[in-house]
């Protein structure tokens, strides 16, 4: 190994035998660096040998930050090597050289290093890059290496072009462009998907070779994601902005299902078939299927016809057995379509000789049937005797019973009432001297007979007084009274034409307008005259003024509310909006088997236009099940007719119905009068009835009246009952309960049980009352009630304990346990309604909404934008149990806002923000719990919102 160039003078002297003095002096001067600008000779004479051969030449290099770089050069045979940079020789002191011997060839090998600093490169200002090359000397001459350029490495921060997000249909082409930042050396580009590198060699569908661009030839669902362009060189790495690629799938309809069976067993009905938007289902913001998901057609089911007998044929000729026959056929008409076959015998026979037939070769009239006659006489006389005794006992019993109960002023004079069957109740005037007569001097008319319609009770002397007066002056309608062996009375309107009479407005009973307060005998005449003119409210009504901020209008204690969203009313406009409930006779008349399930709700003004659908909440009394009910939303036209808006199960883009267990939330664009109707599909369709018992003292201090109500399970229907009872002085005796009333045509029975036997007694024929099915099923919201009259044995009895059983035959049953004091001072008061429902009927601005406006805006901005993982408004709807008719939301400018409006309508009572926060957390969009927002934060948000809107 040789020494460094520091001994260059000594090395030069070794060359004197071969070099001239001048060349040595020049070389030495150059080696010592006395003048760097002096050019060394291109060749030095040498002894015979070979030219230097470069084993290693200097490579292009980059200066990173402030770190110098080293250039190296190796040649053989070489006696000396020097670097020349930018045309100038590098000082010998800056060289580091090493010398060695190549063992294979025996030639000398020399290696030289120099360092180049950042300052040297920056100070060079030439037409080309900073460069250096090696010059090596041998005995035969010199050799030059390649030029190696030296550049300062860098990479700028900003991309010349960032990739842009794309929304493409499935199997479409995706092209993402990327132009990396300027840099030396040029940056290499790598693509990331969801922070994972993309290897185009493993996926033939992806190409990243075309000018740094990413090309996906056929988009797949798995290609949805966030794509990032990575640029890197020896200095740094740079990341582009992420581009969101959404591969969406437009929805497609599945095949139609088979047509369902006709929904009626007999007559005209409908069939339906359905399809779902699942072939494929819309994903990642893809368009929902266009068209209807349900189709309905009319159908006619053949009605079963029961068979009926023809008339009997003529008797046949008398046979040797002394009998003749006659027959009949089941052909008038024959049974069809599953109808029943005729009941009874198709053949009949009897003796045809009138006793002349031969028995043991003797005529029958010659045989002496003495033994038979004797036995028959004994049986006949025994039966007659028993009958006479029974009739005598019965007459005595009836006479004693009438005498002991003569104070009721009414007798059952038809004996069939004790043996069962349907008979009319005949009321006759009582004996003279009875204080219940309107005029004791008037002779009783024993021919006067009247019957009553509707579920009534023979309950107190006042009732009998009203009956007696009405029987003298006004005709009454017919009723039928079914008296069972247990003296239970079931009352219902007769369906026989000859039983129908004319109703009079002053006769008893007539619904809920009859007063039950204490009335003295001297005031009975004015009471009868004013019975039909008691004040009744035909509607409930509330109003409020709303503007651009929206608000909520609530009908207290009725379950009816109206939500006006923010922005539904244009700015600088305000409207007085009203809402009312019809409490009179419903204008919607049931058609066929259709039943009114809700109150008739009117909201207006009708000419008001909104830019965003408003939410109307209407309570209903149906036990919701698509298998048993076909529920419709109807609207009344200006001409007073009712038109169907939509079926709850149908798909529609004009409005939206969300049916909850006790209410229906409707998104509408126009005001008007709306109601819900239901058509039972099967006998298992159920109406929910609220049953309640009220009580009050009668005019007789010993009597106590119980009134049992069965009304539709809607708050407004029960409020009407409560209002009437308050007017009459009634008190609620037990918490109301829910009764499931099936559409199976079986009637409703109401009975009083477990009355203390030695403290109270119930008047005859009123322990059990039966209400026909049609009266309950199609009640038209009029309160249905039955009254029971109880009598104390002594005035010291102040506590009443009994049970009231309300049950449907072959159906549901409820027991109301009455445990009360008849003294008002000792009676426990049961609250009818919660107080907070009636505190603020109208709320406007941010306070009317459960979700703060700022949070609502963030939710809408997040979910209205399609996301790579499908986390858009459709998932928001799914998490809020909105799974059908999504095409309605797709037509809205902000589907998320409409979904949140529907959430506000559904949660106006509980305001369960925590459940909404949990739903958002499940989707993965936010981890903020809305329920943790403090009151001060809400107030700040409302203040800022109001200030932004110029309030």
């Amino acid at each position: 190994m040789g020494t460094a160039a520091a001994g260059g003078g000594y090395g030069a002297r070794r060359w004197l035998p071969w070099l001239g003095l001048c060349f040595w002096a020049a070389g030495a001067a150059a080696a010592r660096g006395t003048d760097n600008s002096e050019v060394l000779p291109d060749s030095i004479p040498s002894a015979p040998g070979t030219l230097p051969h470069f084993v290693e030449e200097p490579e292009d290099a980059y200066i990173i930050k402030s770190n110098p770089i080293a250039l190296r050069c190796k040649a053989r045979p070489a006696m000396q090597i020097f670097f020349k940079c930018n045309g100038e020789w590098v000082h010998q002191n800056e060289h580091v050289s090493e010398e060695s011997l190549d063992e294979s060839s025996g030639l000398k090998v020399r290696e030289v290093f120099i360092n180049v600093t950042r300052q040297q490169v920056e100070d060079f200002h030439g037409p080309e890059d900073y460069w250096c090359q090696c010059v090596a000397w041998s005995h035969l001459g010199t050799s030059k290496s390649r030029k190696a350029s030296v550049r300062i490495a860098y990479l700028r921060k900003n991309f010349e072009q960032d990739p842009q997000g794309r929304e493409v249909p499935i199997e479409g082409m995706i092209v993402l462009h990327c132009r990396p930042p300027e840099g030396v050396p040029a940056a290499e580009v790598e693509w990331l998907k969801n922070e994972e590198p993309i290897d185009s060699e493993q996926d033939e569908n992806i190409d990243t070779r075309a000018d740094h661009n990413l090309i996906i030839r056929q988009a797949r669902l798995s290609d949805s994601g966030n794509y990032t362009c990575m640029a890197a060189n020896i200095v740094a790495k740079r990341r582009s902005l992420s581009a969101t690629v959404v591969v969406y799938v437009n929805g497609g309809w599945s095949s139609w299902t088979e047509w369902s069976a006709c929904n009626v067993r007999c007559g005209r009905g409908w069939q339906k078939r359905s399809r779902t938007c699942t072939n494929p289902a819309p994903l990642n913001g893809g368009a929902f299927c266009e068209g209807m998901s349900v189709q309905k057609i009319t159908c006619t089911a053949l009605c079963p016809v029961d068979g009926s007998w023809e008339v009997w044929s003529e008797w046949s000729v008398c046979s040797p057995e002394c009998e003749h026959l006659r027959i009949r056929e089941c052909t008038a008409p024959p049974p069809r379509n599953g109808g029943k076959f005729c009941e009874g015998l198709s053949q009949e026979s009897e003796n045809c000789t009138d006793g002349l037939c031969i028995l043991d070769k003797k005529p029958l009239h010659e045989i002496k049937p003495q033994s038979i006659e004797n036995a028959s006489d004994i049986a006949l006389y025994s039966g007659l005797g028993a009958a006479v005794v029974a009739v005598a006992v019965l007459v005595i019993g009836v006479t004693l019973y009438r005498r002991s109960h003569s104070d009721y002023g009414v007798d059952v004079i038809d004996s069939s009432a004790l043996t069962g069957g349907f008979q009319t109740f005949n009321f006759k005037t009582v004996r003279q001297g009875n204080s219940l007569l309107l005029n004791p001097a008037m002779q009783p008319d024993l021919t006067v007979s009247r019957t009553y319609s509707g579920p009534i009770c023979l309950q107190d002397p006042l009732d009998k007084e009203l009956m007696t007066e009405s029987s003298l002056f006004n005709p009454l309608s017919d009723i039928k009274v079914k008296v069972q062996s247990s003296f239970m009375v079931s009352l219902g309107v007769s369906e026989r034409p000859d039983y129908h009479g004319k109703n009079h407005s002053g006769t008893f009973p007539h619904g809920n307008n009859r007063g039950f307060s204490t009335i003295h005998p001297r005031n009975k005449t004015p009471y009868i005259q004013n019975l039909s003119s008691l004040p009744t409210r035909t509607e409930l009504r509330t109003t409020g003024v709303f503007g651009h901020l929206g608000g909520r209008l609530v009908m207290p204690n009725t379950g009816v509310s109206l939500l006006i969203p923010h922005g539904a009313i244009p700015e600088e406009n305000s409207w007085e909006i009203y809402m009312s409930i019809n409490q009179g006779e419903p204008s919607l008349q049931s058609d066929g088997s259709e039943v009114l399930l809700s109150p008739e709700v009117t909201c207006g003004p009708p000419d008001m236009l909104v830019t965003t659908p408003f939410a109307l909440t209407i309570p209903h009394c149906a036990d919701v099940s698509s298998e048993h009910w076909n529920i419709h939303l109807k609207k009344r036209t200006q001409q007073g007719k009712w038109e169907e808006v939509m079926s709850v199960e149908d798909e529609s883009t004009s409005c939206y119905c969300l049916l909850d267990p006790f209410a229906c939330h409707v998104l509408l664009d126009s005001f008007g009068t709306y109601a819900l109707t239901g058509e039972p599909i099967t006998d298992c369709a159920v109406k929910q009835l609220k049953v309640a018992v009220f009580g009050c003292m009668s005019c007789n201090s010993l009597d106590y009246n119980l009134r049992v109500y069965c009304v539709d399970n809607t708050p407004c229907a029960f409020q009407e009952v409560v209002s009437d009872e308050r007017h009459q002085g009634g008190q609620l005796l037990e918490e109301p309960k829910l009764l499931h009333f099936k559409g199976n045509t079986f009637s409703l029975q109401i009975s009083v049980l477990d009355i203390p036997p030695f403290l109270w007694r119930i008047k005859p024929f009123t322990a059990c009352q039966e209400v026909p099915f049609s009266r309950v099923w199609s009640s038209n919201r009029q309160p249905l009630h039955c009254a029971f009259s109880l009598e104390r044995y002594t005035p010291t009895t102040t506590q009443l304990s009994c049970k009231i059983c309300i049950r449907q035959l072959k159906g549901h049953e409820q027991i109301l346990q009455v445990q009360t004091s008849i003294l008002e001072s000792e009676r426990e008061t049961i609250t009818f309604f919660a107080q907070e429902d009636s505190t603020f009927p109208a709320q406007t601005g941010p306070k009317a909404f459960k979700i703060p406006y700022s949070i609502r805006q963030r939710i809408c901005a997040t979910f209205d934008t399609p996301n790579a993982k499908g986390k858009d408004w459709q998932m928001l709807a799914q998490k809020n149990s909105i799974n059908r008719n999504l095409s309605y939301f797709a037509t809205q400018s902000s589907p998320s806002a409409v979904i949140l409006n529907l959430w506000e309508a559904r949660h106006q009572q509980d305001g369960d923000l925590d459940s909404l926060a949990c739903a958002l957390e499940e989707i993965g969009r936010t981890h903020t719990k809305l329920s943790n927002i403090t009151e001060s934060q809400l107030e700040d948000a409302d203040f800022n919102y109001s200030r932004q809107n110029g309030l």
Side-chain angles (χ1 to χ4, degrees), residues 387-409:
V388 171
V389 173
V391 170
V393 172
L394 182 61
V395 171
I396 294 172
V398 171
T399 303
L400 294 176
Y401 180 82
R402 292 175 58 186
R403 288 182 179 178
S404 62
H405 294 80
S406 61
D407 57 330
Y408 295 130

Side-chain angles (χ1 to χ4, degrees), residues 60-80:
D60 295 339
Y62 298 94
I63 295 177
I64 301 174
K65 298 182 180 180
S66 299
N67 300 321
I69 56 99
L71 297 178
R72 69 173 56 193
C73 189
K74 183 189 290 187
R76 68 181 180 191
M79 294 185 300
Q80 192 61 276

Side-chain angles (χ1 to χ4, degrees), residues 227-488:
Y227 287 82
T228 307
C229 182
M230 290 287 297
N233 63 5
I234 59 177
V235 179
K237 290 185 178 181
R238 301 283 186 256
R239 289 172 58 96
S240 69
L241 298 177
S242 294
T244 300
V245 173
V246 177
V247 180
Y248 61 85
V249 179
N250 292 325
W253 289 113
S254 65
S255 301
W256 287 103
T257 61
E258 296 294 331
W259 288 104
S260 65
C262 198
N263 70 315
V264 295
R265 298 178 180 176
C266 172
R268 186 178 180 85
W270 51 263
Q271 294 174 278
K272 70 176 182 179
R273 65 175 183 174
S274 61
R275 58 180 178 175
T276 57
C277 190
T278 56
N279 187 30
L283 292 175
N284 300 340
F288 200 81
C289 302
E290 296 183 358
M292 305 299 291
S293 65
V294 178
Q295 283 186 346
K296 290 185 178 181
I297 59 174
T298 58
C299 59
T300 302
L302 297 177
C303 297
V305 178
D306 295 337
S308 182
W309 292 112
E310 288 280 2
V311 297
W312 287 102
S313 66
E314 297 294 331
W315 289 103
S316 66
V317 178
C318 196
S319 68
E321 288 79 16
C322 306
E323 290 183 342
H324 60 177
L325 305 174
R326 67 176 181 176
I327 61 174
R328 59 179 178 175
E329 295 181 350
C330 188
T331 58
R336 298 193 304 270
N337 307 328
K340 297 179 180 179
F341 196 80
C342 302
E343 296 181 357
L345 299 175
S346 62
Q347 179 176 304
E348 194 176 64
S349 64
E350 67 177 15
N351 190 284
C352 57
T353 62
D354 293 332
L356 298 179
C357 192
I358 301 299
L359 180 62
D360 292 335
K361 298 184 179 181
K362 291 184 180 181
L364 288 175
H365 65 277
E366 295 181 2
I367 301 175
K368 303 296 183 180
Q370 296 177 354
S371 60
I372 298 177
E373 291 180 358
N374 294 335
S376 300
D377 291 343
I378 295 173
L380 176 62
Y381 295 143
S382 300
L384 289 176
V388 171
V389 173
V391 170
V393 172
L394 182 61
V395 171
I396 294 172
V398 171
T399 303
L400 294 176
Y401 180 82
R402 292 175 58 186
R403 288 182 179 178
S404 62
H405 294 80
S406 61
D407 57 330
Y408 295 130
V410 58
D411 296 324
V412 180
I413 65 173
D414 195 336
S415 61
S416 64
L418 300 178
T419 59
F422 287 90
Q423 298 293 338
T424 57
F425 252 142
N426 294 285
F427 296 99
K428 64 181 180 179
T429 54
V430 297
R431 303 170 182 82
Q432 288 187 356
N434 194 327
S435 61
L436 297 178
L437 280 175
L438 179 65
N439 187 356
M442 184 179 294
Q443 294 297 324
D445 183 3
L446 299 180
T447 63
V448 174
S449 173
R450 294 293 181 263
T451 54
Y452 287 72
S453 64
I456 69 169
C457 309
L458 310 178
Q459 53 184 9
D460 53 34
L462 175 61
D463 297 332
K464 290 184 265 305
E465 193 171 19
L466 294 176
M467 296 176 192
T468 306
E469 289 183 302
S470 301
S471 66
L472 293 176
F473 299 105
N474 301 317
L476 300 178
S477 60
D478 289 340
I479 63 170
K480 59 182 180 180
V481 182
K482 179 180 178 182
V483 184
Q484 302 174 356
S485 59
S486 61
F487 295 104
M488 296 191 308

Side-chain angles (χ1 to χ4, degrees), residues 591-628:
D591 184 13
S593 61
E594 202 171 43
V595 180
L596 183 63
L597 298 177
S598 75
E600 297 175 1
V601 179
T602 302
C603 53
D607 56 345
M608 175 182 169
L609 299 178
V610 294
T611 59
T612 303
F614 61 90
L616 178 63
T617 299
I618 305 176
H620 66 82
C621 61
D623 190 2
V624 180
S625 173
S626 59
E627 299 178 357
H628 307 311

